[in-house]
Amino acid sequence: MKKKKSIVVPLGVGIVVFLALAVVGAWFYLQWQQGDEETETQSLTVIQLNTEEIRKVTYTDFQSTVTLRKKKGKWYRAKNLDFPLDQFQTENMVKAFSQITATSMIADPDSLPSYGLMNPMYMITLRDKHKNDTVVKIGNMAGASDYYLTADEGKTIYTVSSHLLGFLVFNEKDLLQGDLFPTISGATLKSITITRNGKNIDVCPNESKDDAEKLATYGSELSTIRLDDCVNYNVEKKQLKAYGLNKKSRKEVTAVYEDAQVGVKRTHVFYMGKPFQEEGVEYVYMQMVGSKMIYKVYLSGVQKLVGR
């Protein structure tokens, strides 16, 4: 009688097979877990509106209220259409408000006052092109970093991340889309011309032995300029004199520099107005050519440009 042949699997091969099966099993487990997490996240969607259809957003902390309207694809501040609203920031804000997901849902909620939703901290109203309103109320803190929220007058109560509150911008200056000042330094500045009322005050280089040093100083000052403090976003011609920015008073600065990102020469023109003091700090008014916005910048950083 013939003996049956037994198959002997080497120990090393057995371990490899076992590890392979373990890896495959772990992969399927992770896929299952991820799928389960996606389902959970989807089930906690509070609002899912079409951002493109939103036409009006109003939000309030019951001390200040901001209302924004969308017309012909552009957002404006209501009753102040001249305000240069930051379109990128506004679009991000509208998207955040119209697509809210929650951290958790309260299964058996108490009455609204328990969550600060009877008199909420914030209220956001989204109106679509069909004039349908969605009202979001945000109440007390829920734990260390979340807040209670309802979008259906308290029928359902969620907790949401405090990240959402970062889009509630009440400071007018934070909503402003200002002018851009290019990146210029002593290394990239090629020439500078300063005039007043059509007459040259300084031209550099001008075949002078100290041209290189002077140009480097001008470039260093230009590198300090930040247009982050607008004092008038829609100046009228008759107001320019008060800032020292009327045609006879202002200094016109023409800077030719190399755009380091693309290696191309560019020209930037702006106006310097009069110096002034505010709460013991010295500033000077500035305006970009073609802009209606007036800024104040620290005088200490632009002494040579001012002529001190």
PDB file of all heavy atoms in Angstrom, residues 12 37 103 113 152 283:
ATOM      1  N   GLY A  12       9.872  29.500   7.327  1.00  0.00           N
ATOM      2  CA  GLY A  12       9.996  30.875   6.816  1.00  0.00           C
ATOM      3  C   GLY A  12       8.872  31.234   5.880  1.00  0.00           C
ATOM      4  O   GLY A  12       8.288  32.314   5.942  1.00  0.00           O
ATOM      5  N   GLU A  37     -16.476  55.787   9.103  1.00  0.00           N
ATOM      6  CA  GLU A  37     -16.264  57.182   9.491  1.00  0.00           C
ATOM      7  C   GLU A  37     -16.897  58.127   8.495  1.00  0.00           C
ATOM      8  O   GLU A  37     -17.478  59.139   8.854  1.00  0.00           O
ATOM      9  CB  GLU A  37     -14.767  57.468   9.611  1.00  0.00           C
ATOM     10  CG  GLU A  37     -14.130  56.829  10.846  1.00  0.00           C
ATOM     11  CD  GLU A  37     -12.631  57.023  10.864  1.00  0.00           C
ATOM     12  OE1 GLU A  37     -12.122  57.655   9.917  1.00  0.00           O
ATOM     13  OE2 GLU A  37     -11.983  56.543  11.805  1.00  0.00           O
ATOM     14  N   THR A 103     -19.773  68.214  14.918  1.00  0.00           N
ATOM     15  CA  THR A 103     -18.931  67.273  15.651  1.00  0.00           C
ATOM     16  C   THR A 103     -19.788  66.161  16.242  1.00  0.00           C
ATOM     17  O   THR A 103     -19.412  64.990  16.239  1.00  0.00           O
ATOM     18  CB  THR A 103     -18.187  68.005  16.789  1.00  0.00           C
ATOM     19  OG1 THR A 103     -17.471  69.106  16.241  1.00  0.00           O
ATOM     20  CG2 THR A 103     -17.217  67.078  17.495  1.00  0.00           C
ATOM     21  N   PRO A 113     -32.794  77.109  26.242  1.00  0.00           N
ATOM     22  CA  PRO A 113     -31.951  77.903  27.150  1.00  0.00           C
ATOM     23  C   PRO A 113     -30.770  77.111  27.713  1.00  0.00           C
ATOM     24  O   PRO A 113     -29.742  77.711  28.065  1.00  0.00           O
ATOM     25  CB  PRO A 113     -32.927  78.307  28.266  1.00  0.00           C
ATOM     26  CG  PRO A 113     -34.260  78.325  27.599  1.00  0.00           C
ATOM     27  CD  PRO A 113     -34.219  77.177  26.627  1.00  0.00           C
ATOM     28  N   ASP A 152     -32.594  74.610  12.699  1.00  0.00           N
ATOM     29  CA  ASP A 152     -34.020  74.341  12.473  1.00  0.00           C
ATOM     30  C   ASP A 152     -34.849  74.739  13.687  1.00  0.00           C
ATOM     31  O   ASP A 152     -35.764  74.030  14.101  1.00  0.00           O
ATOM     32  CB  ASP A 152     -34.249  72.865  12.126  1.00  0.00           C
ATOM     33  CG  ASP A 152     -33.686  71.922  13.181  1.00  0.00           C
ATOM     34  OD1 ASP A 152     -33.250  72.410  14.251  1.00  0.00           O
ATOM     35  OD2 ASP A 152     -33.685  70.697  12.953  1.00  0.00           O
ATOM     36  N   TYR A 283       3.279 109.036  11.544  1.00  0.00           N
ATOM     37  CA  TYR A 283       2.896 108.328  10.319  1.00  0.00           C
ATOM     38  C   TYR A 283       3.034 109.269   9.131  1.00  0.00           C
ATOM     39  O   TYR A 283       3.256 110.474   9.285  1.00  0.00           O
ATOM     40  CB  TYR A 283       1.435 107.856  10.393  1.00  0.00           C
ATOM     41  CG  TYR A 283       1.116 106.898  11.513  1.00  0.00           C
ATOM     42  CD1 TYR A 283       0.626 107.373  12.735  1.00  0.00           C
ATOM     43  CD2 TYR A 283       1.271 105.518  11.350  1.00  0.00           C
ATOM     44  CE1 TYR A 283       0.305 106.505  13.767  1.00  0.00           C
ATOM     45  CE2 TYR A 283       0.948 104.643  12.379  1.00  0.00           C
ATOM     46  CZ  TYR A 283       0.471 105.142  13.580  1.00  0.00           C
ATOM     47  OH  TYR A 283       0.158 104.275  14.597  1.00  0.00           O
TER      48      TYR A 283
END
